[in-house]
Amino acid sequence: MTTGRIAGTGSTTPKRILTNKDLEAIVDTTDEWIIRRTGIKERRISSNGESENTSDLATSASIKALKMAGISPETLDMIVMGTVTPDRQFPSAACLVQEALKASKAVAFDISAGCSGFLYALSVANNAIATGSCKNALVIGAERLSCITNWEDRNTCVLLGDGAGAVVLTPTTNNDGILSTQLESDGSFWDLLYSSKEFSKVPEILDTVEPKPFYVKMEGNRLFKKAVSCLADIAESALAHHGLTSADIKLMVPHQANLRIIRATAEKLAIPMEKVYTNIEKYGNTSSASIPIALDEANREGLLKPGDRVLLVTFGAGLTWGASVVNWSM
Ligand code: UT7
């Protein structure tokens, strides 16, 4: 059976670092509260004039992934990007990446699935490869959440950050690619995390942020509980699909929403934290970008070897959630 194999990874985050101390001057919060409740120490904030729009970050991450894979952009058949913060309402950010890469043969489109956007995109690209309608695919998760952050809301502004990650998928018949992907959605909980139709006032020290006419609203506490149960259940289901258990996993790369959510999920799955990759302390929650950034960092740090099984697991607005088991082969 043909599936997609991860042949290259890449990531890019904006230059500007916003620390918890910086946030203390913006809202009523403390470095201590943010670290204790979330694990976040700092996050990256993109700037106008620095070529750090969503599609710019995505293009930069994609170039690194293509280079690692040894694939030229002209041979891509598909570019699919998970994002809730495309540069414009339309055209898609994926089409802007296609133009920047001169990937003229590729069909390009965005997927809106909240923080689960990357895994939804991975599933679509993998299915296209499995059916033979696509050979080489570029799968991206990229966000510029600083543009849709309410900088007056301490419940959310301390959590979010910007960045992009990408993987290149090529076909394989050797059982050394994506083993299974499970996705779920439940629109009845849409109002736990959504975009409201209001403008955010941006503080002076963040004058390089370009606010959009809506911002993130979240019921964090209820979302937290839902996240832990959905993440653990879907991870178990993705593993069971291939007759695997959590003991077969070399590394879990979860969506980086909150270190306490990650720890609770790992505990439910009986996966020790040494086998869980986290970088939330550096980037906060970058929505669709968090898994491909973390996967790229784990890969470049040499944590993965051919034959290792990797568990990707995510949860986000929609609600949406998903898990994927990958046989690593780089
Ligand atoms: O990525 C997609 C999915 N996202 C998630 O799954 C996020 C899920 N939720 C969370 O990560 C957590 O719920 C939060 C980090 C958002 C909040 O942590 P919490 O432990 O659930 O805190 P809480 O909302 O129950 O608030 C506890 C207290 C409240 O004060 P009172 O009412 O006890 O006096 C909040 O007003 O903490 C207060 N608080 C803060 N204090 C200092 C909320 N935000 C802050 C803040 N600094 N930034």
Side-chain angles (χ1 to χ4, degrees):
M1 186 187 155
T2 305
T3 61
R5 159 186 178 267
I6 296 181
T9 63
S11 62
T12 294
T13 52
K15 289 185 204 74
R16 180 166 183 183
I17 294 173
L18 188 73
T19 65
N20 291 349
K21 281 274 168 216
D22 294 329
L23 279 164
E24 286 180 1
I26 297 175
V27 285
D28 180 15
T29 192
T30 60
D31 177 43
E32 186 276 326
W33 189 97
I34 302 170
I35 293 176
R36 184 164 44 83
R37 297 282 182 136
T38 71
I40 301 167
K41 293 181 178 163
E42 57 190 40
R43 68 288 294 141
R44 301 298 178 99
I45 303 293
S46 58
S47 304
N48 289 330
E50 290 277 353
S51 292
E52 290 181 338
N53 222 324
T54 301
S55 66
D56 300 318
L57 297 171
T59 300
S60 167
S62 299
I63 289 169
K64 293 172 194 171
L66 287 161
K67 189 172 172 212
M68 187 185 286
I71 295 277
S72 76
E74 307 86 65
T75 64
L76 287 173
D77 305 299
M78 180 181 283
I79 300 174
V80 54
M81 184 185 321
T83 187
V84 294
T85 48
D87 305 28
R88 301 163 188 275
Q89 184 68 31
F90 64 89
S92 67
C95 276
L96 301 180
V97 172
Q98 182 209 20
E99 164 58 12
L101 295 176
K102 302 292 176 212
S104 54
K105 245 174 33 112
V107 60
F109 55 98
D110 291 351
I111 285 185
S112 172
C115 300
S116 307
F118 176 75
L119 274 199
Y120 272 57
L122 190 74
S123 172
V124 168
N126 187 45
N127 289 340
I129 289 172
T131 59
S133 65
C134 162
K135 199 168 156 238
N136 298 329
L138 177 63
V139 183
I140 308 167
E143 302 287 4
R144 200 178 173 194
L145 296 178
S146 56
C147 299
I148 61 162
T149 296
N150 178 357
W151 292 102
E152 293 175 321
D153 177 15
R154 69 176 183 172
N155 292 292
T156 52
C157 76
V158 303
L159 306 174
L160 310 174
D162 302 338
V167 303
V168 173
L169 290 187
T170 56
T172 181
T173 49
N174 299 330
N175 204 29
D176 60 348
I178 294 166
L179 296 183
S180 75
T181 303
Q182 312 266 310
L183 302 176
E184 286 192 40
S185 314
D186 186 348
S188 67
F189 290 101
W190 71 268
D191 55 352
L192 295 189
L193 181 54
Y194 64 98
S195 66
S196 75
K197 287 186 203 143
E198 287 152 287
F199 254 116
S200 164
K201 219 171 118 222
V202 178
E204 232 168 75
I205 69 157
L206 288 175
D207 60 359
T208 55
V209 166
E210 191 181 30
K212 302 224 184 222
F214 52 87
Y215 57 64
V216 175
K217 276 205 165 170
M218 184 175 83
E219 229 185 280
N221 213 267
R222 282 181 65 204
L223 207 54
F224 189 109
K225 291 173 193 134
K226 204 73 192 122
V228 176
S229 67
C230 290
L231 286 164
D233 288 351
I234 203 150
E236 269 169 1
S237 160
L239 288 166
H241 192 73
H242 260 267
L244 301 171
T245 70
S246 54
D248 298 307
I249 292 303
K250 174 74 191 305
L251 194 69
M252 175 165 97
V253 181
H255 167 49
Q256 313 277 312
N258 185 321
L259 192 56
R260 285 157 55 220
I261 293 178
I262 295 172
R263 284 205 180 113
T265 305
E267 195 179 321
K268 272 191 143 204
L269 292 168
I271 296 180
M273 279 306 284
E274 305 84 72
K275 287 184 168 186
V276 180
Y277 193 84
T278 63
N279 59 8
I280 189 169
E281 70 282 0
K282 291 191 287 182
Y283 305 124
N285 180 348
T286 57
S287 186
S288 288
S290 86
I291 288 180
I293 293 174
L295 191 61
D296 180 49
E297 293 198 342
N299 187 24
R300 286 175 196 268
E301 285 167 26
L303 300 182
L304 294 168
K305 301 274 173 291
D308 286 346
R309 290 201 187 90
V310 185
L311 172 65
L312 311 176
V313 61
T314 191
F315 175 85
L319 298 177
T320 58
W321 60 104
S324 187
V325 183
V326 180
N327 236 352
W328 202 253
S329 60
M330 273 197 281

